[in-house]
Amino acid sequence: MLFEERPQGVESEIAQLEARLHDMRAQLDQSTYPTPPSSHPDKSWTLPSSTIYNNKNPQFNSNTTRSTSLHALLLLSDSALPLGSFAFSSGLESYLAHNKSRRTNANPVSSFHHFLKLSIASIASTSLPYVLAAYRHPQTLDTLDNDLDASTPCVVAQRASVAQGRALIGVWERAFRASFASPGKCMSDNYEDAEAKTATSAIDEFSDALKSSFEDVDEYDLGPRGHFAPLWGVVCRAMGLDLQQTAYTFVLNHAKAVLSAAVRASVMGPYQAQNILASQSLQDTIMARIEREWNTEPEEAGQVVPALDLWIGRHELLYSRIFNS
Amino acid sequence: MLQPGQRRPLSPPPNNPTLTTLTYKYPLKLVPRAPGFVPSPDTSALSDSCPSRPIHLYLLTYGGGLLPGDHIEVTIKLEPKTRMVVTTPQGSTKIFKTEPGNDNGVSVIKGHRKKMPANDHLSDMSQQSLDVRIGRESALCYLPDPSVPYQNSRYAQIQTFTVDASARGDQRSSLCVLDWVTQGRTSRGENWNFRFWKGRNEVWATDEKTGKSRLLLRDSVILDDETQDDLASDDDEDNEETSHELNPHPDGADVPPQAQAGLLPLNVIQERTRPHGVVGTLILSGPVFDRLGTFLIEQFTSQPRIGSRNWSSSESSSAPEGTPTSRGDVTWTAARVRAGFVLVKFGAKDFETAKHWLGGLLREEGSIVREFGEEALFCM
């Protein structure tokens, strides 16, 4: 009896599942392409990845692909983007050195998870407000640059931020500007075109000021520095990304850089790093931090992880270093 | 419940400074002390400018702390060539707890820090703002006791210092500001159990003629437990963040479960301040504190390298601890950031350790005692 009843139960379940699968397939075929978030900047949170998903559209629509900022998004999230981010570990190397002696029994991977979480919270609370403000008001770029410089408590972190910010200007001028700043290109919408133009001219002005200034001209009248966060906001705007994409790529790229540093510092292997990068919990963490800082004005930005400032500042005291921060 | 207090000293002849205005309201109390210390022109860093006698101002509050809803505003103006010492003779600034009953409406906007200052929903938060204008060639020495936030308290402090943008070289304004916060009352087992603590210090350079201002330095620390009592969904979200960490291996293949479990009981603030029981910042700028700044940078850079081996003796191979003043318990960093500012950040296991360490450094170098007298180190 037992032997006969079991397969029957399984069979009915298979039939049920098949019916459900059929229904789901039908539903999927009917569904249309989801609206890209770029057309609804004020809409509630949607993952940027949802725009490039769902490939069931029967016909390839080149206009849809073009009007979304997919191409620019992929360029800016490319780890091969020559910003030199690989040279910085954002305090990871110093953190590992400081915690080696204290907690020798702790697993390096779980210790790293702790660091990554702190690091994301910190970059979101200290830098993200500047990214958002620069995107929203590109013309305030020089003020944001000055204020972020004033708010960065140690030379190690300043160096890292300025090196990447200047590299970003370099990439923009030598590579992206020709394709994204020419009038009418890629953007059918006039309003968006004007927005991108404002951002482009803001970068141009800032870049000119940067080139014509000398380091520390005066005690109180300091020249532009070229910090990364505000420049990221303006460049993303000039390239047609929406604000959510701008914020998400900023924090995700930071996570990528920290994970990449972890691989090179022999904390974990490359597959494990990709595993963390792909994980839902990382996505959730990034989203939660962005949402938290979405309305934070730059003057309200601050360090939520005081310990991180100490680790980054003490990077210079490491006997041996493989990273610049 | 706005409780402003104001005072301003003025000194036409630099050697005989006087207070022109001194007003305060409950719960704030300002007590000036007749200057007893006279810096000798020979030993002072700025012998040619003949520094004035420092006026000592005690910053007091009734009860020695701030209750929920207390809002203290202190405005100080230092005329050119004056000096002032500000201390807190009552010991640490106690931040009393917010009663759990009256926070309806507070938690709703908790996540958006933008609205924190001057928001009437947050009337239960204690706030203190200090605004000091430091004229050319004048100097402020502000070394208070740390703030001690009690369990469930909320506190925001904004300290703004404005210097004269047109002054150059030895005519620049000088300031020395310490801002530190502890984990609470350790005797009662408090360990970063408050709800919210924010300390922001800004230095602006303002040109009196053009009216233009420029931010020179901003140091901002936000300790927020990120809990949202009456929003169940957000609470879940927070719990999830704490418990799951970023662990993609729920099967525990690579991560031993006990290591993960060890992180669970920590609240958000404990996690972010660990392993310290007190964190703080010292800001130095201007000609009066130039030497001190240089000294601290030298002390920092001469710390033993982390991870170095002492090849000569195999016994004490990796022991950077045990330096003369037992600085091993204090993790600190010093940097000359911009516009001549020296910024020192530190974390220590407890208040006594930090006090002993910092007081030791300041006395060893001697500038503060020489320029302002021993009483400037009252809290150290």
Side-chain angles (χ1 to χ4, degrees), chain B residues 181-320:
Chain B
V181 57
T182 76
Q183 61 202 11
R185 291 166 296 178
T186 41
S187 58
R188 295 195 168 214
E190 288 179 353
N191 180 21
W192 306 107
N193 300 119
F194 47 86
R195 304 288 299 279
F196 184 83
W197 186 94
K198 173 171 156 175
R200 192 164 102 200
N201 300 296
E202 294 180 347
V203 185
W204 292 81
T206 303
D207 197 318
E208 303 274 338
K209 288 165 205 150
T210 61
K212 275 188 182 174
S213 283
R214 186 190 189 100
L215 182 67
L216 295 179
L217 187 90
R218 180 182 284 145
D219 165 67
S220 182
V221 170
I222 300 160
L223 302 172
D224 187 345
D225 75 348
E226 300 188 5
T227 55
Q228 305 186 341
D229 287 349
D230 53 351
L231 296 179
S233 56
D234 286 45
D235 228 1
D236 287 349
E237 197 181 278
D238 270 1
N239 288 342
E240 194 173 42
E241 198 187 318
T242 331
S243 56
H244 289 182
E245 292 289 298
L246 289 167
N247 185 5
H249 302 283
D251 53 337
D254 297 287
V255 185
Q258 68 271 20
Q260 207 62 30
L263 298 173
L264 283 185
L266 296 176
N267 73 27
V268 177
I269 303 175
Q270 287 164 354
E271 228 175 35
R272 293 171 178 175
T273 47
R274 207 167 48 138
H276 309 299
V278 54
V279 292
T281 307
L282 178 73
I283 301 167
L284 298 171
S285 155
V288 174
F289 302 107
D290 256 355
R291 260 190 63 172
L292 177 58
T294 308
F295 171 79
L296 290 171
I297 297 271
E298 277 168 10
Q299 289 289 310
F300 171 68
T301 49
S302 64
Q303 283 185 91
R305 302 290 106 171
I306 301 156
S308 66
R309 291 259 182 90
N310 187 353
W311 297 106
S312 55
S313 71
S314 54
E315 286 164 47
S316 58
S317 54
S318 59

Side-chain angles (χ1 to χ4, degrees), chain A residues 10-67:
Chain A
V10 172
E11 266 167 23
S12 70
E13 204 174 314
I14 288 172
Q16 269 182 5
L17 285 171
E18 270 175 351
R20 232 184 119 200
L21 183 65
H22 184 261
D23 287 350
M24 298 276 279
R25 282 226 172 95
Q27 225 178 332
L28 187 63
D29 286 339
Q30 280 170 7
S31 74
T32 50
Y33 222 91
T35 43
S38 57
S39 57
H40 294 279
D42 294 321
K43 253 190 134 182
S44 61
W45 285 98
T46 46
L47 279 175
S49 56
S50 65
T51 59
I52 53 171
Y53 215 61
N54 195 352
N55 236 347
K56 280 286 167 188
N57 216 4
Q59 277 187 329
F60 179 71
N61 187 344
S62 61
N63 281 333
T64 316
T65 314
R66 201 167 289 162
S67 70

